Amino acid sequence: MCNIASVGRMALTNYLMQSIIAVIIFNGYGFGLFGKVSKTQGVGIAIVIYIVQVVLSYSILKKFNQGPLEFVWRKWTYGGSKKHSKAA
């Protein structure tokens, strides 16, 4: 599997992880960098966050079939003990 494809398979986890990382970096109760970084630095930060997500997603999906929040979402949606086939 391609490294970038693993990010898509963990879309919910990565979306929330990206939001939490950005809040920590830019909000006042984190590093408080909002308005203190240039556009170029902001793009650099976004690229670094994305690269971290690619590496983490690939590593997690080598061991598990889905991301942690996707697992929780599936359990909430389908229930904990029921087996569901691919056929509708």
Side-chain angles (χ1 to χ4, degrees):
M1 173 178 40
C2 177
N3 290 347
I4 295 174
S6 61
V7 175
R9 288 190 55 207
M10 290 181 45
L12 178 61
T13 299
N14 283 318
Y15 172 73
L16 292 174
M17 180 185 354
Q18 185 178 49
S19 298
I20 290 168
I21 291 170
V23 164
I24 291 170
I25 291 172
F26 294 109
N27 267 355
Y29 53 85
F31 296 114
L33 295 181
F34 182 76
K36 297 179 183 176
V37 297
S38 68
K39 291 178 184 178
T40 306
Q41 291 170 327
V43 170
I45 291 169
I47 291 170
V48 169
I49 291 171
Y50 184 72
I51 290 170
V52 167
Q53 288 181 313
V54 169
V55 171
L56 287 175
S57 296
Y58 184 73
S59 300
I60 289 170
L61 290 178
K62 279 175 61 175
K63 186 170 183 171
F64 302 103
N65 290 328
Q66 56 196 2
L69 293 177
E70 288 75 18
F71 174 79
V72 170
W73 183 267
R74 185 171 294 227
K75 291 299 178 188
W76 284 346
T77 302
Y78 298 118
S81 62
K82 296 180 183 177
K83 278 279 199 185
H84 294 277
S85 65
K86 289 186 178 182

